[in-house]
Amino acid sequence: QQLNQSLVDEGFQLNSSGGTIKISPDGGLLQSSTMADKMTFQFKDGVKREIASSYIEFAERLVLQEFKHLKVGQIGEIHRRDGFEAASADKIFESTFVQ
């Protein structure tokens, strides 16, 4: 939440499709992303179109329930939620939509 607010305060537009923070069903993976910048691109045939360029995706992998007792200095990658959330992927890719 704080990261997203900082981004908004700095003028970034966030992807709000599915909520600005996409939360996995198990609650262990939080994802958000900025909207892609847009740029004009001239194709080989001379046609110019506005296309999406880069965006930034953020993912927070929370500590798994069975490791909540560990101290901060003891927590490593193996103690955090891993994997990919397919249900959020389509929402994250909406960061590149050009209107």
Side-chain angles (χ1 to χ4, degrees):
Q1 192 76 17
Q2 287 178 314
L3 173 65
N4 280 1
Q5 188 57 55
S6 295
L7 290 167
V8 169
D9 291 347
E10 291 296 322
F12 289 92
Q13 182 182 358
L14 298 180
N15 175 343
S16 60
S17 179
T20 54
I21 300 176
K22 288 83 172 145
I23 303 171
S24 63
D26 64 8
L29 178 63
L30 312 176
Q31 295 172 273
S32 60
S33 62
T34 63
M35 293 300 292
D37 290 333
K38 293 170 183 58
M39 62 179 282
T40 301
F41 183 83
Q42 183 170 344
F43 290 87
K44 187 176 179 180
D45 63 2
V47 173
K48 291 182 181 179
R49 296 266 191 253
E50 189 173 68
I51 63 169
S53 60
S54 58
Y55 69 96
I56 304 169
E57 179 182 352
F58 301 91
E60 181 176 7
R61 298 177 181 281
L62 301 179
V63 175
L64 297 169
Q65 191 62 42
E66 60 266 32
F67 301 117
K68 294 266 185 189
H69 66 280
L70 296 175
K71 293 184 174 148
V72 173
Q74 298 174 307
I75 296 171
E77 185 178 337
I78 64 168
H79 302 113
R80 295 184 179 276
R81 203 272 200 188
D82 67 352
F84 175 77
E85 200 56 52
S88 296
D90 63 331
K91 304 294 183 225
I92 295 294
F93 285 114
E94 287 184 28
S95 295
T96 62
F97 283 7
V98 176
Q99 307 288 332

